[in-house]
Amino acid sequence: MKLLLIDDERDFIETMEKRFKFRKIDVTAAGSGAQALEILGREEFDVAILDVRMPGMDGLDTLKEIKKRHPLMEVIMLTGHGSVESGARGMSLGAYDYVLKPVDFSVLLDKVEMAYERKLLNVAKNA
Amino acid sequence: MSGNSSTSRKTPDPVPASGTSPPLGDKRAVPGLALYTVLVPVLAGAAVLTAAACAPAMGVFLAVLTLALTAWSARRLAGLAGRAEGERCLLTAKLMQSQKLAAVGELSSGIAHEINNPLAIISQEAELCGALVEAKGAMDPELADCLAEIARQVARGRDITRRLLDFSRKMEPVTQLESLDRAVEDMVVLVEKEARLRNVNVIRRYDPDAPRLLIDVPLLRQAVINLLTNALDALEEKDQAGGEEAHGTIVVSTWRSGPGEAAITVADDGPGVARENLARVFHPFFTTKPPGKGTGLGLSITHNIVERMGGRMEVVSEPGQGAAFTIHLPLKGETP
Ligand SMILES: Nc1ncnc2c1ncn2[C@@H]1O[C@H](COP(=O)(O)OP(=O)(O)OP(=O)(O)O)[C@@H](O)[C@H]1O
Ligand SMILES: [Mg+2]
């Protein structure tokens, strides 16, 4: 599985990267929505973890763009200040889940795996 | 077609007992139909034969007995036939409701497509306008404000058309085995955070032995957050009307709603749905909220999602007491 982490918070990215790598998951980090789109233009990923609040292109705009260009990739939204409205919007834009920070790593890992399974099912269906 | 919405008027029961509210359109076995078609005629025949062979007094008694037996039997059969007819009418009404929703969905997706083009042109022209004025060095704050407002309104229009297209998209669900509480918990957490700020209590009543179902997890989350948003909105209305002591409670429960069904209920103790609106809440664009606050698409999208998963929706509401919206899903999760 290839995982893309999109967050502007360096500390968060670093610990997450470490923990996913420890689980033998191939993880790449992007510091902004624009950078994520650029990376996605070159390489294919299965699941993305996307922070909602980022300077510049925010999480929801990034999600919209990602789903337009890479509809099969699953996206888990992470947010520290979740509002119901943004959650409803994120889900209707095709997010897999909308999770409040701080999130327990094992719970997040579980979600990533479920999202990955969904991606595989979707790929099989579209084959 | 299996996804139907039903409406009923009862006091909402935020703690549904398992096994209550039988699934509508359930094919109830007619008990003892053989009694009327076999046993009664045989008894009548036997009575006639016996009467022919015995004393006249006994014959009269047997005749009266046969009369009573056949009259009773005919009445029961007529009653059964009437009930079956009533059920068929109910089913037809539900089918029509479902077809109506589908037709409106198709119509609105057509309109959404048509409106997207002018919206795109408006936003491009507004951008060009800004650039032209800027190039002439004549941009002033008021004009910039105007252009920004145009962009905002176009974005709002786009949002509505996108949701409309979403609503009518005939995407096949991608199902995974998951328990209902795990599928909805993150949405509940999200709502809980906002609810706390508004003094609204969120109570979870998850079925501890909830079975795992084949569900489209993100679609179900979307369906649930729509219900939760509505409950919050309803309680806000109550808050404005009720002042100090009005707080409000949202109860989210997962339960077994029948032998082959599991359900999620989102209940609130807000103002409830007005009687005359109960049949219309699932219609696209039906809203009682002010413009800009509600587009009336939430419940129709939710209904559509649930139907695609082979489930059905139900609303129970008593004005002034609250409303309870239930999503019933088949345990096997196979869409027909
Ligand atoms: N929990 C509830 N209590 C009372 N009324 C409700 C409740 N949920 C829905 N309704 C009624 O049903 C209407 C339609 O709901 P729906 O979710 O489809 O649209 P909306 O909430 O008005 O707008 P949108 O969801 O598109 O933002 C609401 O405007 C409201 O009148
Ligand atoms: Mg709504």
Side-chain angles (χ1 to χ4, degrees):
Chain A
M1 177 190 10
K2 288 188 68 181
L3 179 67
L4 182 63
L5 277 175
I6 314 165
D7 199 326
D8 61 311
E9 239 179 278
R10 279 244 62 86
D11 295 350
F12 181 76
I13 288 262
E14 269 163 28
T15 49
M16 280 292 158
E17 249 186 318
K18 233 181 283 168
R19 304 192 72 170
F20 279 114
K21 279 193 177 134
F22 182 71
R23 305 285 174 130
K24 303 264 178 304
I25 290 175
D26 181 355
V27 56
T28 305
S32 70
Q35 196 190 350
L37 288 170
E38 187 201 307
I39 294 174
L40 283 168
R42 295 193 305 259
E43 242 179 287
E44 201 192 306
F45 286 82
D46 301 304
V47 179
I49 294 177
L50 172 59
D51 191 33
V52 176
R53 267 254 285 251
M54 291 185 297
M57 196 177 188
D58 78 7
L60 285 174
D61 288 336
T62 311
L63 173 67
K64 206 194 264 177
E65 218 33 59
I66 286 179
K67 278 286 165 183
K68 208 186 309 173
R69 301 186 199 176
H70 314 278
L72 291 185
M73 187 171 82
E74 294 297 339
V75 183
I76 296 170
M77 306 294 285
L78 272 189
T79 171
H81 344 250
S83 81
V84 175
E85 200 195 329
S86 122
R89 240 179 91 77
M91 293 312 296
S92 93
L93 282 168
Y96 183 78
D97 199 353
Y98 211 95
V99 185
L100 267 185
K101 274 195 215 170
V103 55
D104 187 73
F105 182 78
S106 64
V107 172
L108 184 62
L109 187 65
D110 222 47
K111 290 184 190 306
V112 167
E113 265 153 16
M114 284 291 284
Y116 180 50
E117 181 190 81
R118 179 179 166 88
K119 178 189 174 193
L120 294 182
L121 285 169
N122 238 326
V123 168
K125 202 166 226 169
N126 283 286
Chain B
M1 207 169 289
S2 76
N4 288 307
S5 55
S6 55
T7 54
S8 53
R9 313 214 49 91
K10 278 181 283 178
T11 312
D13 179 7
V15 210
S18 92
T20 53
S21 54
L24 280 149
D26 185 19
K27 279 186 218 68
R28 248 158 293 179
V30 179
L33 196 58
L35 176 71
Y36 310 107
T37 57
V38 179
L39 194 60
V40 171
V42 165
L43 276 178
V48 171
L49 287 179
T50 324
C54 65
M58 191 61 187
V60 171
F61 170 72
L62 281 171
V64 171
L65 189 72
T66 314
L67 181 82
L69 190 68
T70 45
W72 170 79
S73 167
R75 254 188 79 115
R76 288 298 305 251
L77 275 175
L80 281 178
R83 204 168 84 195
E85 182 58 28
E87 268 171 26
R88 195 160 56 237
C89 283
L90 193 65
L91 276 180
T92 312
K94 286 164 163 310
L95 190 66
M96 275 172 58
Q97 159 87 347
S98 209
Q99 281 171 344
K100 191 159 97 192
L101 279 180
V104 177
E106 232 161 87
L107 177 70
S108 32
S109 87
I111 295 172
H113 269 301
E114 291 304 318
I115 287 176
N116 263 341
N117 290 331
L119 279 180
I121 296 171
I122 292 172
S123 81
Q124 278 161 20
E125 293 289 319
E127 254 180 66
L128 183 64
C129 208
L132 287 175
V133 176
E134 191 92 69
K136 285 199 179 123
M139 183 63 94
D140 68 278
E142 219 166 314
L143 187 57
D145 251 21
C146 285
L147 291 172
E149 187 58 31
I150 292 177
R152 253 197 305 280
Q153 294 304 322
V154 168
R156 185 172 144 201
R158 279 236 183 91
D159 216 54
I160 294 175
T161 56
R162 186 185 53 75
R163 288 180 72 196
L164 262 181
L165 290 171
D166 243 29
F167 161 70
S168 55
R169 200 173 43 193
K170 298 243 163 21
M171 211 179 63
E172 275 279 297
V174 176
T175 55
Q176 292 175 280
L177 261 183
E178 182 61 287
S179 67
L180 290 183
D181 55 320
R182 278 186 33 145
V184 306
E185 174 60 13
D186 288 313
M187 303 298 109
V188 177
V189 170
L190 209 57
V191 168
E192 198 173 31
K193 184 159 182 185
E194 197 158 313
R196 211 173 291 137
L197 298 175
R198 303 195 203 167
N199 267 330
V200 168
N201 229 345
V202 178
I203 297 173
R204 296 165 173 80
R205 299 244 162 88
Y206 295 151
D207 178 1
D209 353 277
R212 298 215 298 161
L213 269 70
L214 271 174
I215 42 182
D216 188 309
V217 184
L219 277 184
L220 185 63
R221 288 193 175 118
Q222 197 186 331
V224 168
I225 199 159
N226 286 344
L227 298 185
L228 289 167
T229 313
N230 282 347
L232 266 186
D233 286 349
L235 290 173
E236 189 172 19
E237 223 173 284
K238 175 182 169 178
D239 212 29
Q240 278 161 2
E244 273 305 300
E245 83 279 25
H247 286 312
T249 304
I250 298 176
V251 181
V252 183
S253 27
T254 63
W255 51 297
R256 291 288 285 265
S257 55
E261 268 191 340
I264 306 168
T265 297
V266 176
D268 65 73
D269 56 358
V273 182
R275 202 159 300 232
E276 65 273 19
N277 292 339
L278 208 53
R280 299 155 69 199
V281 289
F282 293 105
H283 290 185
F285 293 117
F286 173 77
T287 183
T288 54
K289 295 170 193 171
K293 180 94 180 78
T295 31
L297 285 175
L299 282 177
S300 54
I301 290 171
T302 299
H303 182 277
N304 199 27
I305 287 172
V306 172
E307 190 167 82
R308 272 190 274 167
M309 278 188 258
R312 64 199 171 82
M313 289 203 65
E314 191 182 0
V315 49
V316 174
S317 177
E318 186 64 54
Q321 308 277 313
F325 287 82
T326 300
I327 295 173
H328 298 269
L329 292 168
L331 278 183
K332 291 232 178 65
E334 276 134 7
T335 26

